[in-house]
Amino acid sequence: MTDRITRLSSRFMVERHALLGFIYGMIHNLAAAEDLLQEVWLRLAQAAVRGEPITDPAKWCRGVARNLILHYWREQRTGKVLADSELLDLVAQALDENPDPWADRRQALQECIDQLPEASRRLLELKYEQGLSFAVMAQQLRRSIDSLKMALSRLRRALLECAERRLRLAESNP
Amino acid sequence: MNRLDELLLLWQDQTLTPEQRAELKQLLAEPAARARVAEDFFLTGVVLESLRTQRAARAFLTHADERNDPERAVRLRRSGGPRWYRPALAVAFLLALLGALLWFQRRLALPPVVPVSADVYAQFEQVHGDTFVVNQQQKSPAQAGQVLVAGQGIATEGSDSEAVLRMQDAVRLKLGGDTTVRTEDDEPGAGGPRVVLEQGELLVEVNRSVKRKQMTVQTPLGVAVTQTEETALHISDAARVAVVRGEVQFHHRETGRSIRLRGGQYLAVTADGELYAAELFAANGRVWVTYPKVGLETTSLGYRVTFAPTGQRLAAVSRSTEGGLRIGPAEGGDSLRELPGERCLAFAPDGQVLATGQQSQVLLHDLAGGEPRILASPDRRSRVLCLAFAPDGRSLAVGKGRSKEPGEVAMWDLTTDTLRTVFRGHAAEVTALAFSPDGKYLASGGHDRTVVLWDVAAGQERSRLLTVPSQVVWSLAFAPDGRTLAIATGPEDFRLRQPGQVHLWEMATEKVRARLHGHTQAVTGLAFSADGQTLITGSADTTVRFWDLNSNREYGMLKGHRAAPGFEALTVALAPDGSYLATASLDRTVKVWKTTRVENEARSRVTVTALLERTRPLW
């Protein structure tokens, strides 16, 4: 039992990024997303203790997260969050269909993020950590909304490409 | 930017119109678009995790202080404001500095060692305890608002003293207790001041580039140079150089080697001087219990902690009879029981009996209830200092001793509660005991700086090891496979700033196969992970360190206990399933930390996760 819990927690730790991205993408509130991630983790641990069969932990966690997101949407009712269960299911499906070599890619991406210049890091902080809209960011940074969108889009693309390059480099120089 | 990316950005911005939403759904009917979305969400997750890690690292240094003593917590806020009034602020600031300088000169009647026109390099923002401005051989008390000019240094005296200074408008220094700092001009052409930490603990926070120049901090170990605009580094005896955010290049003075450290990393050094980066675990532990304040001497372990074999229960004991023994669920709560006991504790292998000391006696608490059984030794003069149950649960080894007298290990038969035999061979008190997993051998160590391995069945000494360097044995633990005995050593007085060590003694060859260097004071606690690949150590240097036993290098550090006045002993315990770590410290608290085992192809490591950092009352 202990081994099983340990195995599941290890898997969870490795795959939590995609899950956090999924939850955050749906509720756009980092603190709340971390709470929901925590809840998923607890439920996974409880299910493991109960001995429930979990063949695909990532998928299982996404299923739990989906229900928690729906619950969160119902509780919020502020209209500020875009609640669309159809989109939620489509993204869950997308993640189910595209399992990833998580550990390697995460490591590569992490290294690329660590090397970002300060301005790019600041952009990510404002957008994701502080959850500012492009309009507010534009005011703060004295830039146009379009240029910020373009900058963020390029930054994300550059990070993915950087990670790919690193992985290729690692493969060719094992 | 293609249409899908554009819609995903709008979605992130929460500005999707119903039409755009419908369009996005339509696009997501395509498998290629779903693959792109999966990648996008994964990327978002990694970015969030990265930002969160940096945030946790930023909080790393201040958390412990703030939690333990909010009144004394010093918050280092970033300076700055709307751009339009910065010039006005700068002028006002300079005028205020000039005025303050003249005022202080008159009021304190300082000898005119420093001309008024000398460069002002810093101003005190906060002063706690005994803080002084050092001017050559003269010292004068420092006050908040006071300015410093080139040539003057700062000294805090006493472990509770601290000071916060602002250097120019972009650099802040926070000095811990018993710290001495001065500045000097950097080499010609390099520009910028060089901060020299002569001793103690210093946090340097650079909030933007100082005229686009690097900031140099000279430490007793070497020189740290900031590489990024927003950088914070912490220098102390315990953690040497730890980078909270940004990047720092560190040059080791003696070896000439250098290393680049990133936010969340600290400098680790092997015995032969190789530098490498290890990870700061920025998690929060939950306070499981806080003991009442009693005077404890500095030459014994203040508190000990252990998990029950099932991992569900945790027990802790105080060095003092007044503190007593506490037992309760590992996750804490209000249901802690108080039982009599002191100094040491051990669970029977079945988890039903908890043994503890009470002066010269051993108390065996049956956790099902009832009065404790007492193992009363005929020798009433020696105190019980450590305990270990044999793996079969039928015997209990009791380490005893008294200052400046030979120590001994009493073996009790628990089926009859009688004293079976006494192992004599220690010249001083026995402070640590460990049974090999097969129960054949018992290791004992103590103040005589010796570890003795006893053949339990034969009742004889099998071998003996004198620690080199000669240090007191504070803790012993066998690896789960029984092949290695870990020996934690350190100076007898925890206040001595001499590095402690862990010796890994190989049973087959009876030789020390490795020494783990890193702790800067006595190593006082040991815990192996169940797979034997990780060793966790606690030390009087206030840190818990995590060692990879494949490479014998430290890979992580946890610093969550407050430094007691000048000393601290940490004992550690890992739950049998590895899910929790418990630490007991001379700061009178026992804390529980969530741990996770991270595995990859090459190795398995225990890490302390910040996953539960900010959420519900699981603990």
Side-chain angles (χ1 to χ4, degrees):
Chain A
M1 176 58 66
T2 305
D3 282 352
R4 187 161 181 265
I5 296 171
T6 310
R7 205 175 59 247
L8 284 174
S9 18
S10 299
R11 280 281 299 272
F12 183 87
M13 290 308 287
V14 173
E15 294 173 350
R16 69 189 185 279
H17 307 90
L19 190 61
L20 179 61
F22 173 57
I23 299 171
Y24 175 83
M26 294 298 154
I27 65 176
H28 298 279
N29 177 327
L30 183 51
E34 285 179 341
D35 279 350
L36 293 197
L37 183 75
Q38 166 76 19
E39 186 63 38
V40 175
W41 159 259
L42 291 176
R43 291 193 184 188
L44 178 70
Q46 286 160 0
V49 171
R50 287 195 301 270
E52 282 182 27
I54 301 172
T55 48
D56 184 344
K59 194 171 176 178
W60 189 94
C61 287
R62 262 196 303 280
V64 173
R66 179 188 172 280
N67 293 335
L68 292 174
I69 290 165
L70 288 170
H71 181 72
Y72 177 86
W73 282 345
R74 276 196 297 276
E75 274 194 338
Q76 292 300 305
R77 289 183 196 161
T78 57
K80 285 182 187 167
V81 182
L82 177 70
D84 188 322
S85 58
E86 220 178 313
L87 266 179
L88 177 69
D89 289 342
L90 278 167
V91 175
Q93 185 191 347
L95 287 164
D96 288 347
E97 289 169 356
N98 295 278
D100 202 282
W102 306 108
D104 291 347
R105 289 197 70 192
R106 188 201 62 76
Q107 180 67 29
L109 263 175
Q110 183 66 56
E111 287 170 12
C112 295
I113 293 170
D114 286 347
Q115 289 181 350
L116 281 178
E118 202 51 45
S120 304
R121 205 185 293 253
R122 180 91 185 120
L123 196 62
L124 292 179
E125 271 177 14
L126 290 175
K127 186 70 204 158
Y128 298 106
E129 196 172 38
Q130 297 185 23
L132 300 185
S133 68
F134 282 119
V136 175
M137 283 167 69
Q139 268 183 348
Q140 279 199 9
L141 300 175
R142 298 183 176 187
R143 292 175 64 175
S144 72
I145 291 178
D146 282 344
S147 81
L148 281 177
K149 278 184 188 168
M150 188 56 78
L152 192 66
S153 175
R154 281 191 185 142
L155 178 56
R156 293 175 66 92
R157 178 56 51 197
L159 281 174
L160 289 170
E161 286 169 2
C162 166
E164 287 302 322
R165 270 200 310 278
R166 276 181 179 271
L167 285 176
R168 277 203 301 276
L169 201 64
E171 277 167 19
S172 56
N173 298 300
Chain B
M1 194 168 17
N2 65 32
R3 184 61 181 156
L4 180 61
D5 286 348
E6 198 175 341
L7 290 173
L8 287 174
L9 271 182
L10 289 173
W11 188 12
Q12 278 181 15
D13 207 35
Q14 296 285 287
T15 48
L16 268 183
T17 63
E19 294 74 27
Q20 287 166 333
R21 213 188 308 176
E23 190 186 351
L24 181 60
K25 286 179 197 167
Q26 212 169 9
L27 285 174
L28 288 180
E30 291 296 320
R34 290 201 294 275
R36 171 79 191 88
V37 165
E39 190 179 47
D40 194 77
F41 277 73
F42 171 60
L43 172 63
T44 301
V46 179
V47 168
L48 291 170
E49 179 86 3
S50 174
L51 294 174
R52 199 176 61 80
T53 306
Q54 287 168 15
R55 186 182 64 200
R58 279 201 297 272
F60 166 71
L61 290 164
T62 47
H63 267 174
D65 285 351
E66 287 172 15
R67 280 195 311 274
N68 288 315
D69 198 345
E71 288 174 12
R72 271 189 57 219
V74 178
R75 294 176 187 280
L76 303 177
R77 295 196 175 90
R78 294 178 183 188
S79 59
R83 290 179 183 192
W84 60 267
Y85 71 75
R86 278 191 183 170
L89 272 181
V91 171
F93 178 61
L94 285 174
L95 285 172
L97 284 188
L98 190 62
L101 183 63
L102 289 169
W103 184 79
F104 272 106
Q105 282 245 318
R106 276 205 302 275
R107 182 183 166 107
L108 297 177
L110 287 174
V113 177
V114 182
V116 177
S117 59
D119 288 341
V120 170
Y121 78 82
Q123 181 180 26
F124 282 97
E125 284 194 341
Q126 296 179 42
V127 174
H128 298 274
D130 297 327
T131 300
F132 299 94
V133 174
V134 183
N135 205 349
Q136 295 177 347
Q137 297 303 314
Q138 294 178 322
K139 283 196 317 187
S140 55
Q143 298 175 39
Q146 185 172 350
V147 294
L148 286 167
V149 296
Q152 291 180 318
I154 313 119
T156 58
E157 292 185 4
S159 56
D160 283 342
S161 299
E162 62 182 30
V164 180
L165 289 101
R166 188 168 63 175
M167 281 179 65
Q168 304 175 37
D169 64 346
V171 179
R172 286 187 189 197
L173 306 179
K174 177 184 173 187
L175 283 73
D178 290 321
T179 299
T180 309
V181 166
R182 62 185 168 81
T183 66
E184 58 185 38
D185 284 334
D186 211 342
E187 290 155 21
R194 170 191 285 252
V195 170
V196 181
L197 172 67
E198 291 180 344
Q199 63 166 29
E201 184 180 9
L202 177 69
L203 174 71
V204 180
E205 195 182 41
V206 181
N207 280 330
R208 59 185 170 80
S209 65
V210 186
K211 298 175 187 168
R212 299 274 164 199
K213 282 168 190 159
Q214 294 166 322
M215 173 87 191
T216 303
V217 184
Q218 189 175 314
T219 80
L221 202 63
V223 174
V225 184
T226 62
Q227 304 291 307
T228 40
E229 290 195 4
E230 301 236 343
T231 312
L233 70 153
H234 182 251
I235 303 154
S236 63
D237 290 338
R240 298 197 183 91
V241 177
V243 181
V244 183
R245 63 172 171 274
E247 292 187 15
V248 167
Q249 189 77 24
F250 184 80
H251 307 274
H252 196 274
R253 180 187 288 170
E254 282 180 17
T255 61
R257 293 175 180 166
S258 79
I259 185 173
R260 196 177 178 98
L261 299 166
R262 294 199 306 264
Q265 292 183 332
Y266 70 96
L267 174 72
V269 188
T270 62
D272 57 5
E274 190 187 335
L275 310 180
Y276 62 100
E279 187 186 351
L280 294 164
F281 295 134
N284 290 345
R286 175 173 169 81
V287 176
W288 189 76
V289 71
T290 301
Y291 274 97
K293 206 168 189 171
V294 287
L296 290 175
E297 72 266 44
T298 57
T299 53
S300 65
L301 301 177
Y303 303 91
R304 278 180 164 146
V305 64
T306 189
F307 279 97
T310 56
Q312 306 296 314
R313 281 169 161 165
L314 185 66
V317 71
S318 159
R319 162 80 176 70
S320 146
T321 41
E322 292 163 49
L325 186 148
R326 313 291 166 94
I327 179 167
E331 59 268 27
D334 300 325
S335 51
L336 299 189
R337 275 170 71 190
E338 258 190 81
L339 296 169
E342 62 179 33
R343 288 174 191 264
C344 49
L345 77 174
F347 274 103
D350 64 3
Q352 294 306 306
V353 174
L354 180 60
T356 179
Q358 193 177 56
Q359 299 192 348
S360 66
Q361 302 177 332
V362 174
L363 304 182
L364 296 170
H365 293 287
D366 186 339
L367 298 178
E371 287 296 308
R373 282 149 59 199
I374 297 174
L375 304 181
S377 166
D379 169 19
R380 295 285 177 89
R381 296 174 67 239
S382 299
R383 283 179 181 275
V384 172
L385 300 174
C386 51
L387 296 163
F389 275 96
D392 64 5
R394 292 180 182 170
S395 310
L396 178 72
V398 182
K400 301 180 74 177
R402 187 180 160 85
S403 182
K404 297 189 175 77
E405 287 185 17
E408 59 182 36
V409 180
M411 292 291 286
W412 287 82
D413 184 333
L414 295 182
T415 54
T416 57
D417 284 1
T418 52
L419 180 63
R420 188 189 297 147
T421 183
V422 177
F423 294 149
R424 293 192 175 88
H426 279 285
E429 304 110 291
V430 177
T431 46
L433 288 170
F435 269 100
S436 62
D438 61 8
K440 286 184 182 168
Y441 301 106
L442 172 71
S444 60
H447 280 249
D448 60 358
R449 292 142 163 85
T450 303
V451 175
V452 181
L453 194 66
W454 306 91
D455 183 325
V456 175
Q460 289 177 345
E461 180 178 327
R462 179 187 129 165
S463 50
R464 172 177 287 257
L465 167 85
L466 183 67
T467 58
V468 179
S470 179
Q471 291 184 321
V472 170
V473 177
W474 286 113
S475 185
L476 293 166
F478 272 96
D481 65 4
R483 292 180 184 169
T484 305
L485 172 68
I487 304 163
T489 69
E492 190 159 18
D493 188 332
F494 295 148
R495 288 169 299 186
L496 290 180
R497 298 199 170 190
Q498 292 170 4
Q501 299 184 46
V502 177
H503 307 260
L504 297 178
W505 199 51
E506 204 163 53
M507 291 288 283
T509 59
E510 297 191 353
K511 285 186 177 159
V512 173
R513 69 170 166 84
R515 288 190 176 88
L516 308 182
H517 297 267
H519 282 295
T520 54
Q521 286 175 250
V523 184
T524 47
L526 290 169
F528 276 98
S529 65
D531 63 7
Q533 295 199 41
T534 297
L535 181 68
I536 302 172
T537 56
S539 163
D541 69 12
T542 75
T543 66
V544 176
R545 303 202 191 201
F546 296 71
W547 305 84
D548 181 336
L549 295 181
N550 296 312
S551 63
N552 293 329
R553 289 183 173 200
E554 61 184 294
Y555 62 85
M557 180 199 288
L558 189 63
K559 191 175 182 304
H561 283 280
R562 186 177 162 199
F567 61 89
E568 181 151 339
L570 268 174
T571 56
V572 294
L574 190 64
D577 66 356
S579 57
Y580 292 109
L581 173 73
T583 54
S585 154
L586 264 182
D587 71 2
R588 298 185 286 112
T589 63
V590 174
K591 288 185 177 178
V592 179
W593 312 77
K594 182 80 191 89
T595 56
T596 307
R597 203 163 72 194
V598 176
E599 292 184 59
N600 65 23
E601 287 169 8
R603 58 177 185 257
S604 157
R605 284 179 166 180
V606 176
T607 64
V608 178
T609 173
L611 186 66
L612 301 174
E613 178 193 16
R614 40 155 292 104
T615 47
R616 63 201 56 248
L618 180 66
W619 302 316

